[in-house]
Amino acid sequence: VTIKTSDPVSRAFREHGLRRTPQRLAIARAVAANDRHPTVQDVHTMVRGDFPTMSLATVYNTLRSLVNAGVIADLPFAGGARFDSDPSPHINLVCSDCGSIVDAHEYDPMLTRLTRSVSSRPDFRVDGHRFDFYGRCASCARDTAKPAP
Amino acid sequence: VTIKTSDPVSRAFREHGLRRTPQRLAIARAVAANDRHPTVQDVHTMVRGDFPTMSLATVYNTLRSLVNAGVIADLPFAGGARFDSDPSPHINLVCSDCGSIVDAHEYDPMLTRLTRSVSSRPDFRVDGHRFDFYGRCASCARDTAKPAP
DNA sequence: CTCTTTGCAAATCTTTTGCAACTTG
DNA sequence: CAAGTTGCAAAAGATTTGCAAAGAG
């Protein structure tokens, strides 16, 4: 299989010394191309089209590698982990009803300052972060507003 | 069993319409008295001294009720949930080595402003939050600094 | 008396691991 | 070649659920 060597995913693999197997690249690209914060199952489903024999364990292992390399971020939830293709500081708006997770970038400057500040603490060496708000997205709030008139 | 009716835990139960069974009060007090962000197992162990027959399922169910009522916050992690007796906005410093979670309150004013700001969004109804930094605590950073000289 | 909670066991789910065969660097 | 990966199946945990008995309001 010929593999493009110049895209962001390939570059990230190079920089982090990850082996560039077709499966791993497909998994990394699937997450990178998806801003819905997919679950492991989601990723497996996305990739299965091109790699029908790929096992769920491989998806788990690869996602773990990518998280350890800092290429993506994982967001553990009670019902299973979600993956965020953007590991830089931003807020996640998490809907408890429909499970949607939307990035809010309006607060990035504030969070960047905050991260810098916490990173300079002598008593803690920062290497990751997570900023979540939980609640109801617009459409779920609407649904709940007038359920049984 | 006679139950004090004036402490914060009892009050929270009243306000949220939770039944005040001895088991539930003990679980709530165990979490309230612990600032280490205990796991479900931790809570079970703490309460077993007084209630030897209490099952893990009861701990799970009760903690869920308390989270739903907003009395405590849960922090899902890959290895299981941790519980935070302080549901108000603050930063958690999570050590990836030893698993310690320490509250950092220096940033509370900033987070309170941030929370107010996000809460006023027309497209999202906030009812919870989570602000984590991951990395190494002082003592784990020290251990890693000179492992094999 | 009614509805909730408890305790125990079984069931579900998510995530990790052991291993042999196969690839990548 | 040597070390890292893949697939598959089994294992390990974490969390939930079904039910009958007990308890709270």
Side-chain angles (χ1 to χ4, degrees), chain A residues 63-127:
Chain A
L63 289 174
R64 184 147 42 93
S65 297
L66 294 173
V67 170
N68 289 340
V71 178
I72 62 179
D74 67 335
L75 305 171
F77 283 98
R82 306 279 293 261
F83 292 86
D84 194 331
S85 53
D86 179 3
S88 64
H90 65 270
I91 280 178
N92 300 123
L93 299 177
V94 184
C95 180
S96 327
D97 265 24
C98 66
S100 73
I101 302 181
V102 176
D103 291 347
H105 287 288
E106 297 91 316
Y107 317 92
D108 288 3
M110 187 189 317
L111 295 177
T112 299
R113 279 196 302 279
L114 173 63
T115 300
R116 238 194 318 267
S117 176
V118 175
S119 297
S120 70
R121 293 176 72 104
D123 62 340
F124 196 82
R125 190 151 308 171
V126 172
D127 67 11

Side-chain angles (χ1 to χ4, degrees), chain B residues 38-48 56 59-60 63 79 81 83:
Chain B
T39 64
V40 178
Q41 291 287 349
D42 291 338
V43 176
H44 190 216
T45 302
M46 290 188 263
V47 177
R48 274 215 155 205
L56 195 53
V59 180
Y60 269 104
L63 289 174
F83 293 85

Side-chain angles (χ1 to χ4, degrees), chain B residues 6-30:
Chain B
S6 52
D7 66 313
V9 168
S10 282
R11 197 170 314 123
F13 270 57
R14 283 275 178 75
E15 290 171 2
H16 296 285
L18 301 172
R19 286 206 177 172
R20 301 160 19 83
T21 69
Q23 290 94 328
R24 297 193 140 203
L25 289 168
I27 290 169
R29 295 207 174 96

